[in-house]
Amino acid sequence: MNWFFKFLSSSVGKKALMAVTGLLLCGFLVAHLAGNLLLYVSADAYNAYAHQLHEQQALLVVAEIGLFAVIILHLVLAVMTKAENDSARNVEYAVRQTKQKGSVMAFPAHSTMWFTGVVVLLFLLLHLADFKFELRGEGIQSLTPYAKAERLLEDKLTFIVYIIGSLVLGYHLSHGFQSAFQTLGLN
């Protein structure tokens, strides 16, 4: 078991664990998106999904604790990896080049992971404040899940923030998903 902890304390081990936690979060996002797409089917379909999900109270608590632990571990590993990478190279590169042929992006995803990760965290906190803790939106606590989503997203600023947050999340995942498989040797 000592070899396992040595592996996890190495930079390769931290990156491998960050890849695994990232893929677990991707799995959650796929399931979450599938449920949220029911908003486009009908109010009844979305409400039935939400009520069925919340009827499994004990399972939901376990899943939320597990999800919270995976998010915290992913964040801690990201901070540790960023700090180690920054301390390993005190001098900036004279020229930054990508190995990807034909890349014309001004801000390639691999160079913005830290920034997009912070934006995703802020978006997650807003989403939890809105839908889990119901901290915004007057009178939403008594609404059906569909009506709650409709009420929150009818505010134009909230709608724009959710669109931007979703786009930044997608951009973060565009590199993170590929990078996770590469780190795990599955590319």
Side-chain angles (χ1 to χ4, degrees), residues 129-143:
D130 285 348
F131 289 95
K132 172 73 176 157
F133 301 111
E134 299 174 333
L135 299 176
R136 296 183 338 127
E138 191 174 318
I140 64 167
Q141 296 81 3
S142 61
L143 297 175

Side-chain angles (χ1 to χ4, degrees), residues 25-42 45-50 53:
L25 293 171
C26 285
F28 166 77
L29 283 172
V30 168
H32 189 62
L33 178 61
N36 284 345
L37 286 175
L38 291 172
L39 284 164
Y40 296 103
V41 173
S42 71
Y46 183 74
N47 288 333
Y49 158 75
L53 187 66

